[in-house]
Amino acid sequence: MMRGVTTAPAAFVLPPGQEDAVATLLGGGAPLPGGCRLETADIQPTAIEARYRCGGTLAVARLGRAGAGDGPDAPPGHLVVLPGSDLPAPLHEALA
């Protein structure tokens, strides 16, 4: 399991035991746009919050399940970048 990825003891956006898959999904261990790298991620009841180090700046991504109003590129149930995320544009596009 990737260090820094934790789960919250509640109804999950993803089922327990998916920490390694989440780390891969978020780009853990891979080169990311803008020179960013995944630092930590928390699986919360309704979202995944990931923190990236982009140079000297900390960027935060909140991902959650798409709803019916999120458009055709985000079928309900798929993970999408939620409003309130603070990401450089290239990293946002890579995660979207």
Side-chain angles (χ1 to χ4, degrees):
M1 176 168 41
M2 181 178 167
R3 189 177 67 195
V5 177
T6 60
T7 56
F12 298 103
V13 67
L14 292 173
Q18 300 299 311
E19 294 84 358
D20 289 341
V22 168
T24 299
L25 174 80
L26 298 174
L32 297 169
C36 298
R37 65 177 169 75
L38 178 66
E39 281 203 340
T40 63
D42 295 313
I43 301 172
Q44 302 171 354
T46 60
I48 298 168
E49 185 169 298
R51 285 162 295 287
Y52 296 87
R53 181 65 54 189
C54 300
T57 304
L58 183 66
V60 177
R62 288 187 42 78
L63 299 119
R65 291 201 184 274
D70 285 322
D73 292 336
H78 288 223
L79 290 178
V80 295
V81 178
L82 298 173
S85 295
D86 180 21
L87 299 171
L91 181 57
H92 186 279
E93 290 174 18
L95 293 173

